[in-house]
Amino acid sequence: MIGWVAASGRLDLGAWLLFAIFSSGNSRTFTPIAWMYREDYARAGILMLPVVDREGSRTFGKYW
């Protein structure tokens, strides 16, 4: 969105659509990686959903 605003000078519908497209795909990519490294996150004290949700029911839920 920052690039969109820098190039066009305004924050309009196109920027929000681009944000929606990228953010919808990121969770499916990031969640399995975060699940694999949940022990590392826990040791570092980073309370991400895979660290807090030990069984994975809320992490993966109905989407997986």
Side-chain angles (χ1 to χ4, degrees):
M1 293 179 75
I2 293 170
W4 185 283
V5 173
S8 68
R10 60 185 190 276
L11 182 64
D12 56 9
L13 181 61
W16 288 105
L17 288 173
L18 200 60
F19 172 75
I21 291 168
F22 284 124
S23 61
S24 68
N26 275 344
S27 65
R28 293 195 177 264
T29 304
F30 181 74
T31 302
I33 295 169
W35 182 260
M36 283 185 350
Y37 295 108
R38 67 186 181 277
E39 298 300 325
D40 294 335
Y41 287 125
R43 281 194 299 272
I46 302 171
L47 296 178
M48 298 178 60
L49 187 56
V51 173
V52 178
D53 180 27
R54 291 286 181 189
E55 297 83 36
S57 60
R58 287 186 298 164
T59 301
F60 296 105
K62 63 182 178 179
Y63 300 109
W64 298 89

